mmCIF file of all heavy atoms in Angstrom:
data_model
loop_
_atom_site.group_PDB
_atom_site.id
_atom_site.type_symbol
_atom_site.label_atom_id
_atom_site.label_comp_id
_atom_site.label_asym_id
_atom_site.label_seq_id
_atom_site.Cartn_x
_atom_site.Cartn_y
_atom_site.Cartn_z
ATOM 1 N N PRO A 86 35.858 -115.712 38.699
ATOM 2 C CA PRO A 86 35.514 -116.869 39.540
ATOM 3 C C PRO A 86 33.989 -116.995 39.652
ATOM 4 O O PRO A 86 33.289 -115.982 39.665
ATOM 5 C CB PRO A 86 36.128 -116.509 40.900
ATOM 6 C CG PRO A 86 37.174 -115.483 40.611
ATOM 7 C CD PRO A 86 36.692 -114.724 39.412
ATOM 8 N N ASN A 87 33.487 -118.220 39.713
ATOM 9 C CA ASN A 87 32.054 -118.433 39.853
ATOM 10 C C ASN A 87 31.720 -118.872 41.289
ATOM 11 O O ASN A 87 32.599 -118.898 42.163
ATOM 12 C CB ASN A 87 31.557 -119.432 38.793
ATOM 13 C CG ASN A 87 32.187 -120.812 38.967
ATOM 14 O OD1 ASN A 87 32.162 -121.379 40.062
ATOM 15 N ND2 ASN A 87 32.779 -121.353 37.900
ATOM 16 N N ALA A 88 30.452 -119.217 41.491
ATOM 17 C CA ALA A 88 29.976 -119.536 42.849
ATOM 18 C C ALA A 88 30.783 -120.659 43.505
ATOM 19 O O ALA A 88 30.988 -120.661 44.726
ATOM 20 C CB ALA A 88 28.494 -119.911 42.798
ATOM 21 N N ALA A 89 31.260 -121.597 42.706
ATOM 22 C CA ALA A 89 32.016 -122.723 43.269
ATOM 23 C C ALA A 89 33.402 -122.268 43.742
ATOM 24 O O ALA A 89 33.844 -122.636 44.829
ATOM 25 C CB ALA A 89 32.149 -123.833 42.219
ATOM 26 N N HIS A 90 34.088 -121.455 42.919
ATOM 27 C CA HIS A 90 35.388 -120.914 43.359
ATOM 28 C C HIS A 90 35.203 -120.070 44.626
ATOM 29 O O HIS A 90 36.020 -120.124 45.548
ATOM 30 C CB HIS A 90 36.017 -120.025 42.272
ATOM 31 C CG HIS A 90 36.317 -120.712 40.980
ATOM 32 N ND1 HIS A 90 35.585 -120.488 39.844
ATOM 33 C CD2 HIS A 90 37.269 -121.616 40.635
ATOM 34 C CE1 HIS A 90 36.074 -121.206 38.856
ATOM 35 N NE2 HIS A 90 37.093 -121.913 39.298
ATOM 36 N N GLU A 91 34.141 -119.266 44.637
ATOM 37 C CA GLU A 91 33.888 -118.388 45.792
ATOM 38 C C GLU A 91 33.653 -119.223 47.049
ATOM 39 O O GLU A 91 34.075 -118.847 48.143
ATOM 40 C CB GLU A 91 32.658 -117.494 45.541
ATOM 41 C CG GLU A 91 32.716 -116.644 44.276
ATOM 42 C CD GLU A 91 33.613 -115.414 44.406
ATOM 43 O OE1 GLU A 91 34.236 -115.242 45.466
ATOM 44 O OE2 GLU A 91 33.684 -114.646 43.416
ATOM 45 N N ALA A 92 32.954 -120.348 46.881
ATOM 46 C CA ALA A 92 32.661 -121.202 48.042
ATOM 47 C C ALA A 92 33.941 -121.787 48.637
ATOM 48 O O ALA A 92 34.085 -121.887 49.853
ATOM 49 C CB ALA A 92 31.691 -122.320 47.634
ATOM 50 N N VAL A 93 34.874 -122.166 47.771
ATOM 51 C CA VAL A 93 36.157 -122.695 48.255
ATOM 52 C C VAL A 93 36.917 -121.602 49.009
ATOM 53 O O VAL A 93 37.453 -121.827 50.097
ATOM 54 C CB VAL A 93 37.010 -123.236 47.082
ATOM 55 C CG1 VAL A 93 38.396 -123.664 47.566
ATOM 56 C CG2 VAL A 93 36.300 -124.405 46.399
ATOM 57 N N ALA A 94 36.928 -120.399 48.454
ATOM 58 C CA ALA A 94 37.635 -119.281 49.101
ATOM 59 C C ALA A 94 36.987 -118.941 50.451
ATOM 60 O O ALA A 94 37.683 -118.638 51.424
ATOM 61 C CB ALA A 94 37.628 -118.063 48.183
ATOM 62 N N ARG A 95 35.668 -119.018 50.501
ATOM 63 C CA ARG A 95 34.945 -118.713 51.747
ATOM 64 C C ARG A 95 35.309 -119.734 52.828
ATOM 65 O O ARG A 95 35.505 -119.378 53.984
ATOM 66 C CB ARG A 95 33.443 -118.730 51.452
ATOM 67 C CG ARG A 95 32.598 -117.958 52.423
ATOM 68 C CD ARG A 95 31.239 -117.581 51.841
ATOM 69 N NE ARG A 95 30.501 -118.723 51.314
ATOM 70 C CZ ARG A 95 30.115 -118.834 50.046
ATOM 71 N NH1 ARG A 95 30.394 -117.893 49.171
ATOM 72 N NH2 ARG A 95 29.465 -119.900 49.633
ATOM 73 N N LEU A 96 35.386 -120.997 52.426
ATOM 74 C CA LEU A 96 35.765 -122.051 53.388
ATOM 75 C C LEU A 96 37.158 -121.768 53.940
ATOM 76 O O LEU A 96 37.394 -121.872 55.148
ATOM 77 C CB LEU A 96 35.726 -123.420 52.693
ATOM 78 C CG LEU A 96 36.096 -124.622 53.570
ATOM 79 C CD1 LEU A 96 35.044 -124.841 54.660
ATOM 80 C CD2 LEU A 96 36.246 -125.889 52.725
ATOM 81 N N GLU A 97 38.070 -121.385 53.074
ATOM 82 C CA GLU A 97 39.447 -121.105 53.512
ATOM 83 C C GLU A 97 39.472 -119.902 54.458
ATOM 84 O O GLU A 97 40.138 -119.932 55.499
ATOM 85 C CB GLU A 97 40.330 -120.862 52.283
ATOM 86 C CG GLU A 97 41.833 -120.916 52.555
ATOM 87 C CD GLU A 97 42.383 -119.635 53.151
ATOM 88 O OE1 GLU A 97 41.856 -118.542 52.820
ATOM 89 O OE2 GLU A 97 43.324 -119.705 53.963
ATOM 90 N N ARG A 98 38.718 -118.870 54.123
ATOM 91 C CA ARG A 98 38.684 -117.660 54.961
ATOM 92 C C ARG A 98 38.067 -117.927 56.328
ATOM 93 O O ARG A 98 38.357 -117.225 57.293
ATOM 94 C CB ARG A 98 37.873 -116.552 54.270
ATOM 95 C CG ARG A 98 38.677 -115.666 53.353
ATOM 96 C CD ARG A 98 37.945 -114.349 53.080
ATOM 97 N NE ARG A 98 36.580 -114.546 52.603
ATOM 98 C CZ ARG A 98 36.264 -114.766 51.329
ATOM 99 N NH1 ARG A 98 37.210 -114.816 50.407
ATOM 100 N NH2 ARG A 98 35.007 -114.937 50.969
ATOM 101 N N SER A 99 37.225 -118.961 56.402
ATOM 102 C CA SER A 99 36.533 -119.249 57.665
ATOM 103 C C SER A 99 37.488 -119.816 58.710
ATOM 104 O O SER A 99 37.121 -119.979 59.865
ATOM 105 C CB SER A 99 35.379 -120.233 57.420
ATOM 106 O OG SER A 99 35.898 -121.547 57.239
ATOM 107 N N GLY A 100 38.711 -120.159 58.297
ATOM 108 C CA GLY A 100 39.682 -120.682 59.255
ATOM 109 C C GLY A 100 39.899 -122.178 59.145
ATOM 110 O O GLY A 100 40.813 -122.726 59.755
ATOM 111 N N VAL A 101 39.059 -122.854 58.362
ATOM 112 C CA VAL A 101 39.272 -124.290 58.125
ATOM 113 C C VAL A 101 40.541 -124.443 57.278
ATOM 114 O O VAL A 101 40.701 -123.747 56.275
ATOM 115 C CB VAL A 101 38.055 -124.902 57.379
ATOM 116 C CG1 VAL A 101 38.342 -126.335 56.958
ATOM 117 C CG2 VAL A 101 36.806 -124.826 58.238
ATOM 118 N N PRO A 102 41.478 -125.324 57.679
ATOM 119 C CA PRO A 102 42.663 -125.546 56.840
ATOM 120 C C PRO A 102 42.248 -126.153 55.495
ATOM 121 O O PRO A 102 41.622 -127.216 55.457
ATOM 122 C CB PRO A 102 43.504 -126.537 57.648
ATOM 123 C CG PRO A 102 42.964 -126.484 59.038
ATOM 124 C CD PRO A 102 41.513 -126.116 58.920
ATOM 125 N N VAL A 103 42.565 -125.465 54.424
ATOM 126 C CA VAL A 103 42.167 -125.892 53.082
ATOM 127 C C VAL A 103 43.400 -125.910 52.181
ATOM 128 O O VAL A 103 44.239 -125.017 52.250
ATOM 129 C CB VAL A 103 41.114 -124.916 52.487
ATOM 130 C CG1 VAL A 103 40.845 -125.228 51.011
ATOM 131 C CG2 VAL A 103 39.807 -124.953 53.271
ATOM 132 N N ARG A 104 43.522 -126.957 51.377
ATOM 133 C CA ARG A 104 44.496 -126.969 50.292
ATOM 134 C C ARG A 104 43.738 -127.271 49.011
ATOM 135 O O ARG A 104 42.893 -128.161 48.982
ATOM 136 C CB ARG A 104 45.567 -128.043 50.497
ATOM 137 C CG ARG A 104 46.458 -127.822 51.697
ATOM 138 C CD ARG A 104 47.391 -126.618 51.529
ATOM 139 N NE ARG A 104 48.237 -126.452 52.675
ATOM 140 C CZ ARG A 104 47.885 -125.842 53.825
ATOM 141 N NH1 ARG A 104 46.680 -125.323 53.950
ATOM 142 N NH2 ARG A 104 48.723 -125.761 54.828
ATOM 143 N N VAL A 105 44.050 -126.538 47.960
ATOM 144 C CA VAL A 105 43.434 -126.777 46.664
ATOM 145 C C VAL A 105 44.472 -127.433 45.763
ATOM 146 O O VAL A 105 45.595 -126.945 45.644
ATOM 147 C CB VAL A 105 42.951 -125.456 46.027
ATOM 148 C CG1 VAL A 105 42.413 -125.711 44.617
ATOM 149 C CG2 VAL A 105 41.885 -124.792 46.899
ATOM 150 N N ILE A 106 44.088 -128.565 45.196
ATOM 151 C CA ILE A 106 44.901 -129.225 44.167
ATOM 152 C C ILE A 106 44.087 -129.108 42.887
ATOM 153 O O ILE A 106 42.951 -129.582 42.833
ATOM 154 C CB ILE A 106 45.119 -130.719 44.502
ATOM 155 C CG1 ILE A 106 45.768 -130.880 45.889
ATOM 156 C CG2 ILE A 106 45.965 -131.394 43.425
ATOM 157 C CD1 ILE A 106 45.750 -132.329 46.404
ATOM 158 N N THR A 107 44.622 -128.439 41.878
ATOM 159 C CA THR A 107 43.798 -128.234 40.691
ATOM 160 C C THR A 107 44.488 -128.698 39.418
ATOM 161 O O THR A 107 45.707 -128.595 39.276
ATOM 162 C CB THR A 107 43.349 -126.750 40.569
ATOM 163 O OG1 THR A 107 42.427 -126.635 39.479
ATOM 164 C CG2 THR A 107 44.532 -125.810 40.333
ATOM 165 N N GLN A 108 43.670 -129.216 38.522
ATOM 166 C CA GLN A 108 44.135 -129.573 37.179
ATOM 167 C C GLN A 108 44.015 -128.361 36.252
ATOM 168 O O GLN A 108 44.461 -128.421 35.108
ATOM 169 C CB GLN A 108 43.281 -130.712 36.611
ATOM 170 C CG GLN A 108 43.380 -132.021 37.385
ATOM 171 C CD GLN A 108 42.336 -133.028 36.914
ATOM 172 O OE1 GLN A 108 41.166 -132.947 37.267
ATOM 173 N NE2 GLN A 108 42.759 -133.967 36.105
ATOM 174 N N ASN A 109 43.398 -127.301 36.752
ATOM 175 C CA ASN A 109 43.150 -126.128 35.907
ATOM 176 C C ASN A 109 44.346 -125.183 35.913
ATOM 177 O O ASN A 109 45.098 -125.125 36.881
ATOM 178 C CB ASN A 109 41.902 -125.393 36.397
ATOM 179 C CG ASN A 109 40.675 -126.289 36.382
ATOM 180 O OD1 ASN A 109 40.637 -127.262 35.630
ATOM 181 N ND2 ASN A 109 39.697 -125.979 37.194
ATOM 182 N N VAL A 110 44.484 -124.443 34.834
ATOM 183 C CA VAL A 110 45.610 -123.504 34.701
ATOM 184 C C VAL A 110 45.102 -122.063 34.678
ATOM 185 O O VAL A 110 45.846 -121.145 34.346
ATOM 186 C CB VAL A 110 46.425 -123.802 33.413
ATOM 187 C CG1 VAL A 110 47.021 -125.208 33.457
ATOM 188 C CG2 VAL A 110 45.568 -123.628 32.154
ATOM 189 N N ASP A 111 43.806 -121.886 35.049
ATOM 190 C CA ASP A 111 43.184 -120.567 34.853
ATOM 191 C C ASP A 111 43.384 -119.584 36.003
ATOM 192 O O ASP A 111 43.050 -118.404 35.884
ATOM 193 C CB ASP A 111 41.687 -120.743 34.558
ATOM 194 C CG ASP A 111 40.963 -121.570 35.619
ATOM 195 O OD1 ASP A 111 41.266 -121.432 36.824
ATOM 196 O OD2 ASP A 111 40.064 -122.363 35.239
ATOM 197 N N GLY A 112 43.889 -120.056 37.142
ATOM 198 C CA GLY A 112 44.143 -119.154 38.268
ATOM 199 C C GLY A 112 42.891 -118.633 38.954
ATOM 200 O O GLY A 112 42.967 -117.700 39.764
ATOM 201 N N LEU A 113 41.726 -119.230 38.676
ATOM 202 C CA LEU A 113 40.480 -118.676 39.232
ATOM 203 C C LEU A 113 40.330 -118.932 40.728
ATOM 204 O O LEU A 113 39.663 -118.161 41.417
ATOM 205 C CB LEU A 113 39.260 -119.206 38.458
ATOM 206 C CG LEU A 113 39.136 -118.695 37.019
ATOM 207 C CD1 LEU A 113 37.889 -119.271 36.348
ATOM 208 C CD2 LEU A 113 39.096 -117.164 36.974
ATOM 209 N N HIS A 114 40.930 -120.003 41.262
ATOM 210 C CA HIS A 114 40.878 -120.204 42.718
ATOM 211 C C HIS A 114 41.559 -119.032 43.432
ATOM 212 O O HIS A 114 41.048 -118.501 44.417
ATOM 213 C CB HIS A 114 41.566 -121.518 43.102
ATOM 214 C CG HIS A 114 40.765 -122.746 42.811
ATOM 215 N ND1 HIS A 114 39.572 -123.038 43.464
ATOM 216 C CD2 HIS A 114 40.961 -123.759 41.939
ATOM 217 C CE1 HIS A 114 39.093 -124.184 43.006
ATOM 218 N NE2 HIS A 114 39.909 -124.643 42.079
ATOM 219 N N GLN A 115 42.721 -118.615 42.916
ATOM 220 C CA GLN A 115 43.446 -117.509 43.539
ATOM 221 C C GLN A 115 42.683 -116.194 43.341
ATOM 222 O O GLN A 115 42.618 -115.367 44.253
ATOM 223 C CB GLN A 115 44.850 -117.384 42.939
ATOM 224 C CG GLN A 115 45.759 -118.589 43.200
ATOM 225 C CD GLN A 115 45.725 -119.600 42.065
ATOM 226 O OE1 GLN A 115 44.662 -119.933 41.531
ATOM 227 N NE2 GLN A 115 46.891 -120.098 41.692
ATOM 228 N N LEU A 116 42.101 -116.008 42.153
ATOM 229 C CA LEU A 116 41.336 -114.774 41.920
ATOM 230 C C LEU A 116 40.147 -114.684 42.879
ATOM 231 O O LEU A 116 39.730 -113.597 43.260
ATOM 232 C CB LEU A 116 40.808 -114.728 40.481
ATOM 233 C CG LEU A 116 41.636 -113.994 39.442
ATOM 234 C CD1 LEU A 116 40.841 -113.926 38.137
ATOM 235 C CD2 LEU A 116 41.999 -112.587 39.905
ATOM 236 N N ALA A 117 39.608 -115.844 43.265
ATOM 237 C CA ALA A 117 38.484 -115.859 44.215
ATOM 238 C C ALA A 117 38.965 -115.543 45.628
ATOM 239 O O ALA A 117 38.150 -115.237 46.493
ATOM 240 C CB ALA A 117 37.779 -117.213 44.183
ATOM 241 N N GLY A 118 40.276 -115.656 45.863
ATOM 242 C CA GLY A 118 40.794 -115.272 47.172
ATOM 243 C C GLY A 118 41.540 -116.351 47.936
ATOM 244 O O GLY A 118 41.973 -116.125 49.058
ATOM 245 N N VAL A 119 41.693 -117.540 47.340
ATOM 246 C CA VAL A 119 42.498 -118.559 48.022
ATOM 247 C C VAL A 119 43.974 -118.141 47.896
ATOM 248 O O VAL A 119 44.442 -117.862 46.796
ATOM 249 C CB VAL A 119 42.293 -119.964 47.399
ATOM 250 C CG1 VAL A 119 43.151 -121.000 48.121
ATOM 251 C CG2 VAL A 119 40.823 -120.362 47.444
ATOM 252 N N PRO A 120 44.703 -118.071 49.036
ATOM 253 C CA PRO A 120 46.105 -117.643 48.960
ATOM 254 C C PRO A 120 46.924 -118.536 48.028
ATOM 255 O O PRO A 120 46.742 -119.755 47.999
ATOM 256 C CB PRO A 120 46.600 -117.780 50.415
ATOM 257 C CG PRO A 120 45.366 -117.732 51.258
ATOM 258 C CD PRO A 120 44.278 -118.353 50.425
ATOM 259 N N GLU A 121 47.802 -117.898 47.261
ATOM 260 C CA GLU A 121 48.635 -118.591 46.268
ATOM 261 C C GLU A 121 49.298 -119.847 46.842
ATOM 262 O O GLU A 121 49.343 -120.902 46.198
ATOM 263 C CB GLU A 121 49.706 -117.604 45.776
ATOM 264 C CG GLU A 121 50.591 -118.097 44.659
ATOM 265 C CD GLU A 121 49.909 -118.090 43.307
ATOM 266 O OE1 GLU A 121 49.235 -117.094 42.971
ATOM 267 O OE2 GLU A 121 50.053 -119.098 42.588
ATOM 268 N N GLU A 122 49.810 -119.743 48.082
ATOM 269 C CA GLU A 122 50.580 -120.859 48.645
ATOM 270 C C GLU A 122 49.695 -122.039 49.041
ATOM 271 O O GLU A 122 50.204 -123.101 49.384
ATOM 272 C CB GLU A 122 51.434 -120.390 49.829
ATOM 273 C CG GLU A 122 50.656 -120.004 51.080
ATOM 274 C CD GLU A 122 50.188 -118.545 51.072
ATOM 275 O OE1 GLU A 122 50.235 -117.903 49.989
ATOM 276 O OE2 GLU A 122 49.772 -118.058 52.137
#
Side-chain angles (χ1 to χ4, degrees):
N87 63 51
H90 299 108
E91 304 283 3
V93 175
R95 202 159 54 240
L96 180 67
E97 195 280 327
R98 271 199 307 276
S99 76
V101 172
V103 171
R104 295 291 181 278
V105 175
I106 303 168
T107 186
Q108 296 170 282
N109 301 336
V110 299
D111 54 38
L113 291 180
H114 284 294
Q115 296 94 317
L116 266 187
V119 180
E121 185 76 45
E122 69 273 14

